[in-house]
Amino acid sequence: MAVGRNSRNINGFIRDFREFALKGSVMDLAIGVVIGAAFGKIVTSFTEDIIMPLLNPLLAFTGNDWRTFGIPVGKGKIALGSFLGNVVDFLIIAFALYLAIRAIARFKRKEEMASPAPTEKECPYCLEKIPLAATRCRACTSELAPTVERM
């Protein structure tokens, strides 16, 4: 009896997990992670290959590569240049993401600002507002041509 109950529990667990994994929100999250990783590579490449070569000469106060600067402590060193380089990378990546999210938000606002489809029309005789599907004006009782196809 206990074996049958455990089998049902396992089957129920697998069924529940399958339903969870195939929900739209989980799939959307997975797609977002993949796209985010690809976008992260693009931003990292932009930072390392375009921005940092322009900034390195300005920040090269310790020699050729300011990212190798460190403070000797005993047998090791505190990699201050590496830390500061990662902070600069983070700021550049955060700024690039801010610009991208801002552009997407502006695009979404334009979509939201699009006016909804009209639900009313004006009677050409008395200029009263009436439903689009109306064939007779409720104010002046004039016959009107329907503007919405009836099914």
Side-chain angles (χ1 to χ4, degrees), residues 52-131:
M52 292 316 293
L54 298 173
L55 290 180
N56 278 337
L58 301 173
L59 301 173
F61 54 86
T62 62
N64 290 340
D65 189 8
W66 61 277
R67 288 179 183 246
T68 60
F69 174 73
I71 300 172
V73 176
K75 294 182 180 180
K77 73 175 185 174
I78 297 175
L80 191 60
S82 176
F83 173 74
L84 293 176
N86 287 329
V87 169
V88 169
D89 287 348
F90 170 77
L91 292 174
I92 292 170
I93 289 170
F95 183 69
L97 287 173
Y98 167 75
L99 292 177
I101 290 170
R102 188 173 169 200
I104 291 170
R106 186 177 301 140
F107 179 71
K108 284 185 177 180
R109 267 190 303 227
K110 286 182 182 177
E111 285 180 352
E112 290 172 0
M113 292 176 68
S115 62
T119 59
E120 295 181 328
K121 62 182 177 181
E122 283 187 353
C123 172
Y125 304 104
C126 67
L127 302 178
E128 181 73 23
K129 297 260 186 210
I130 54 172

